[in-house]
Amino acid sequence: MILGIESSCDDSSVALLDLNLNLVYHKKISQELEHSKYGGVVPELAARLHTAALPNLIKEIKPYFKDIKAIAITNQPGLSVSLVGGVSVAKALSIGLNLPLIEVNHLVGHIYSLFLNSDESLPLGVLLVSGGHTMILYVDENGDITTLASTSDDSFGESFDKVAKMMGLGYPGGAIIESLSQKSSSDRYKFTIPLKGDKRLEYSFSGLKNQVRIEIEKSIANGSQSSDFADIAAGFQRAACEHIIDKLKKICKEKRFKSLGVVGGASANKYLRAKLLEICDKFDMNLLVAPLEFCSDNAAMIARAGIAKYQKSKFINPKELKISPRSSLGSIYL
Ligand code: KG4
Ligand code: ZN
């Protein structure tokens, strides 16, 4: 089996996936509660919590040490101080147990969340929506990745986090804003869709966030009725999702993907999923989504990406493994 370790942001996670794709062990210790009072991830706190959590998870899989064939570790992109926690543990295990080490790009890990139970099916268009990224990618039949669109400021998930923070509702904001939106039956907040009519194939959420901030402030000044917040949340979610769909439609029209994969923590959003189903219907695309449990950061997807590289003997010397806060996407097998 392949051991996967993930610590790129605020989740410490360890998984064991055997070469037949049976998930033998998977656990994730989330730091959401600890960060929620600050309205976002505090890097120094994240680092300390990874250092406490990872050794405990590794202790739990000790009985399987003899069955592990290689260790797959997220080394980019992410928070440096978080990445270093998992990478140190992976290097120590690689040297101590004399096991090959496999570096995994976190974004490639998200793509592999689509193939936890199956072989890769390529080529594939991918919408990646997470806390750190908003991208449309194309993965060709050889696994080479091209970036077709990305965001020039905030990411989709991050904009939900910031709206929740402005409403004083905690972190992470995605699920909070989604469930608050479900309480609204009004479409009275009609925010401007970012870059609508603009030819650029890119995303931007900072202007929308600003429009939302103004309405939140007005609502607070008027006595902050809680129904206002639900309606604002619903208006924001509609606009953010429409922005995603608007640019995606343009790309799909041109590229004609056979399949569209949707990955990342924010791909759990049901309103977005419903809109994606509509666009897949329109362009006759097959929609691939990860099981809800594996949309957000997890080590199972890292182990799965590790298996693909293990089969191609793509190993790295522990002395040469470095972390990088930014990502260089090339191929899912690199
Ligand atoms: O992939 P992920 O776990 O971490 C990163 O790699 O960033 O994604 C976490 C992000 C957070 O910003 C969170 O608010 C967002 O995904 N998210 C959502 C939903 N569930 C999680 N955003 C919108 N709607 C959701 N239901
Ligand atoms: Zn992620």
Side-chain angles (χ1 to χ4, degrees):
M1 52 185 77
I2 303 294
L3 165 62
I5 302 176
E6 159 64 38
S7 75
S8 65
C9 188
D10 58 345
D11 294 297
S12 316
S13 182
V14 166
L16 288 168
L17 191 63
D18 78 16
L19 296 174
N20 295 319
L21 306 185
N22 297 306
L23 191 57
V24 177
Y25 174 95
H26 176 237
K27 205 164 194 181
K28 158 164 146 172
I29 299 179
S30 170
Q31 307 174 354
E32 282 173 5
L33 204 65
E34 287 86 350
H35 294 294
S36 71
K37 57 176 170 267
Y38 303 103
V41 178
V42 180
E44 204 270 343
L45 176 59
R48 264 191 287 136
L49 293 169
H50 283 306
T51 310
L54 286 168
N56 288 332
L57 293 176
I58 297 298
K59 217 188 243 171
E60 285 190 21
I61 58 157
K62 231 173 149 187
Y64 299 103
F65 274 6
K66 60 183 185 322
D67 305 314
I68 298 173
K69 297 262 181 268
I71 301 163
I73 173 69
T74 306
N75 72 323
Q76 63 165 304
L79 285 173
S80 301
V81 289
S82 291
L83 287 164
V84 94
V87 165
S88 308
V89 169
K91 280 186 182 184
L93 285 173
S94 164
I95 294 166
L97 301 174
N98 197 22
L99 287 169
L101 198 56
I102 299 167
E103 58 180 327
V104 174
N105 181 307
H106 180 79
L107 308 184
V108 170
H110 275 300
I111 296 174
Y112 271 100
S113 67
L114 301 171
F115 306 118
L116 281 170
N117 302 307
S118 61
D119 289 341
E120 303 99 323
S121 106
L122 304 177
L124 183 72
V126 176
L127 170 68
L128 167 65
V129 275
S130 68
H133 295 85
T134 304
M135 298 174 116
I136 300 175
L137 307 169
Y138 177 65
V139 189
D140 73 14
E141 46 288 336
N142 301 315
D144 291 332
I145 307 174
T146 313
T147 303
L148 303 176
S150 58
T151 177
S152 53
D153 43 59
D154 294 344
S155 76
F156 179 75
E158 186 184 11
S159 67
F160 279 71
D161 295 336
K162 289 186 173 166
V163 168
K165 187 177 180 183
M166 290 188 283
M167 290 182 174
L169 298 177
Y171 169 88
I176 298 172
I177 294 299
E178 182 178 8
S179 63
L180 187 58
S181 302
Q182 285 159 357
K183 294 193 178 118
S184 164
S185 53
S186 154
D187 62 355
R188 67 191 169 114
Y189 286 98
K190 292 185 172 64
F191 296 111
T192 308
I193 312 302
L195 302 176
K196 185 90 180 175
D198 188 309
K199 281 204 174 69
R200 276 173 295 175
L201 292 176
E202 68 181 40
Y203 288 112
S204 168
F205 292 91
S206 64
L208 174 60
K209 180 183 67 185
N210 219 25
Q211 293 178 63
V212 172
R213 180 183 56 76
I214 290 166
E215 294 306 329
I216 291 173
E217 284 171 2
K218 268 193 217 159
S219 163
I220 292 172
N222 294 339
S224 171
Q225 293 152 9
S226 58
S227 73
D228 270 3
F229 277 12
D231 293 345
I232 294 171
F236 158 72
Q237 180 174 263
R238 270 194 306 275
C241 292
E242 194 173 329
H243 180 33
I244 292 286
I245 298 294
D246 179 39
K247 299 296 174 186
L248 185 59
K249 245 186 206 161
K250 290 198 170 69
I251 287 179
C252 290
K253 212 171 187 175
E254 199 183 299
K255 303 284 178 192
R256 295 281 162 181
F257 307 131
K258 278 206 183 99
S259 300
L260 177 73
V262 187
V263 300
S267 70
N269 187 287
K270 289 184 204 71
Y271 185 85
L272 178 65
R273 283 190 174 198
K275 294 281 160 199
L276 288 166
L277 270 175
E278 285 172 17
I279 175 173
C280 283
D281 232 28
K282 183 173 157 81
F283 289 99
D284 199 19
M285 293 183 296
N286 183 20
L287 181 65
L288 303 179
V289 291
L292 276 183
E293 184 193 351
F294 298 106
C295 288
S296 56
D297 293 349
N298 66 85
M301 68 188 194
I302 303 304
R304 177 64 186 91
I307 287 181
K309 290 180 80 170
Y310 176 80
Q311 283 159 343
K312 292 188 178 314
S313 301
K314 302 267 186 189
F315 304 122
I316 182 158
N317 185 323
K319 282 187 214 146
E320 279 159 24
L321 179 67
K322 293 191 174 60
I323 58 143
S324 168
R326 298 205 171 276
S327 160
S328 56
L329 279 168
S331 156
I332 59 175
Y333 304 118
L334 270 183

